[in-house]
Amino acid sequence: MESHLRLRKALSAVTIGLVIVVAVPAHGQDAGGNRHGLTGLPEGDVFRPLLADPKTPRFDTSVLRASSDLRTTTVWAVVFGENIGLARWDFRRGQFQVGMGGAVFAQFDLETASTDLINADYVVGVPFTFRNGALSTQLRVYHQSSHLGDEFLLHDRPQRINLSFESIEWLVSYDRAGWRVYGGGEYMFHRVPSDLQPRMAQFGAEHRRVTPLFRLGDAAVGRVVAALDVQWWEQHGWGPAWSAKAGVEFGPVTAGAEPARHWDLLVQYFSGPSPYGQFYSYEIKYLGAGVQFAF
């Protein structure tokens, strides 16, 4: 109940901020023609979303062959969410943006009669991002709560965990010529159960081919993309969780090598402590493919 009350207060504050930001007009340009000032509801973000991080808000649908300590089955994993920019300040030394992000991460068991919902993680947060040239950073404060599906509870009768936490995350990224490396970590400053260990470290690399692999007329271009994300959680004795994705990214012809809006056809692999909230104490491996969207 306390976590839901905190969540409602946070959403109310962000909504008020959104109304104020939208009412503020953008500023002009400096003597050199560079844009500066405030923009409400900007497109994209100055810190590009992480491609291989399992818990980055996005729209995603994937079919995975998963094996864990509980069972081996085929999982339909869906994500409904996005980071939305509320305001962006452009100034001489860089860009600063504040937004809000949220997502539902849900997994369904395709090998059951009614495609049982297994687990659903609800995430909402406020990201603060900054970019200066090739260097960008993100500071995000977010809340997560996790819930088991009704059919899964009835059929499997697992031990339910009341998992809920608030966390602060900091990431630093450097990108150049289609390559990107990033690192950082997070700390859970409030958590249930209380014995949940609070710290995590993260490192990753991404590659986007600058030259398009092919072109679909004037509609889109396709580029090869690949990414690796590694996370070490204190809760699991600092053992690694590996997440890898590779495939083709489709974006507008005129958008350049890093389009804010695109969709990806990806093969994906994961090995390590489960990223699914209710099963965080289990090891899991999965391999599959899916489609991922960014707006």
Side-chain angles (χ1 to χ4, degrees):
M1 181 64 70
E2 288 185 14
S3 62
H4 291 163
L5 181 60
R6 288 194 301 272
L7 179 57
R8 287 197 296 269
K9 289 181 178 179
L11 288 175
S12 299
V14 170
T15 302
I16 294 171
L18 174 59
V19 172
I20 294 173
V21 166
V22 173
V24 178
H27 290 232
Q29 297 180 339
D30 60 24
N34 298 315
R35 189 172 182 173
H36 64 87
L38 172 64
T39 301
L41 298 178
E43 182 179 318
D45 202 341
V46 298
F47 184 90
R48 193 169 69 242
L50 303 181
L51 182 62
D53 183 348
K55 283 300 180 72
T56 291
R58 60 172 66 92
F59 284 88
D60 186 335
T61 179
S62 306
V63 176
L64 312 169
R65 187 61 178 173
S67 61
S68 69
D69 301 332
L70 290 175
R71 67 170 68 176
T72 296
T73 190
T74 304
V75 172
W76 176 32
V78 295
V79 183
F80 301 101
E82 189 61 81
N83 282 329
I84 300 172
L86 301 181
R88 181 182 297 172
W89 289 264
D90 293 86
F91 48 96
R92 184 171 300 177
R93 293 183 177 273
Q95 298 172 295
F96 174 78
Q97 181 165 315
V98 60
M100 72 173 296
V104 178
F105 300 82
Q107 305 83 45
F108 299 85
D109 190 343
L110 292 178
E111 297 187 13
T112 58
S114 58
T115 313
D116 295 354
L117 171 63
I118 304 171
N119 171 80
D121 298 325
Y122 298 85
V123 176
V124 62
V126 179
F128 302 89
T129 58
F130 173 79
R131 174 174 288 274
N132 183 356
L135 188 67
S136 60
T137 185
Q138 173 179 272
L139 181 69
R140 180 175 66 138
V141 181
Y142 74 96
H143 163 88
Q144 176 176 323
S145 61
S146 301
H147 307 272
L148 290 172
D150 292 344
E151 292 123 324
F152 182 77
L153 277 169
L154 290 172
H155 296 164
D156 288 64
R157 300 187 181 277
Q159 180 64 43
R160 180 185 175 277
I161 301 171
N162 183 26
L163 179 66
S164 174
F165 61 85
E166 284 76 46
S167 188
I168 184 167
E169 171 195 67
W170 182 46
L171 293 166
V172 178
S173 171
Y174 181 83
D175 50 86
R176 185 179 181 89
W179 288 93
R180 180 194 196 188
V181 293
Y182 62 86
E186 70 176 78
Y187 181 83
M188 299 179 191
F189 55 87
H190 178 270
R191 53 202 183 276
V192 177
S194 59
D195 60 353
L196 190 66
Q197 299 301 307
R199 293 176 294 177
M200 184 271 279
Q202 184 173 8
F203 174 82
E206 301 177 359
H207 177 64
R208 280 175 169 81
R209 181 185 171 96
V210 177
T211 304
L213 183 64
F214 56 84
R215 178 169 174 164
L216 302 175
D218 295 328
V221 294
R223 291 184 171 86
V224 173
V225 294
L228 174 68
D229 181 88
V230 190
Q231 300 182 13
W232 296 267
W233 286 91
E234 183 182 12
Q235 178 67 28
H236 307 289
W238 300 108
W242 302 87
S243 176
K245 296 184 179 181
V248 180
E249 180 178 275
F250 297 87
V253 173
T254 59
E258 297 180 7
R261 297 182 176 179
H262 58 85
W263 65 278
D264 304 325
L265 183 61
L266 299 169
V267 175
Q268 48 193 288
Y269 170 81
F270 181 91
S271 178
S274 174
Y276 307 144
Q278 285 286 324
F279 303 98
Y280 71 87
S281 60
Y282 294 96
E283 294 284 322
I284 187 174
K285 289 185 179 181
Y286 61 69
L287 177 66
V291 183
Q292 186 168 297
F293 301 88
F295 298 102

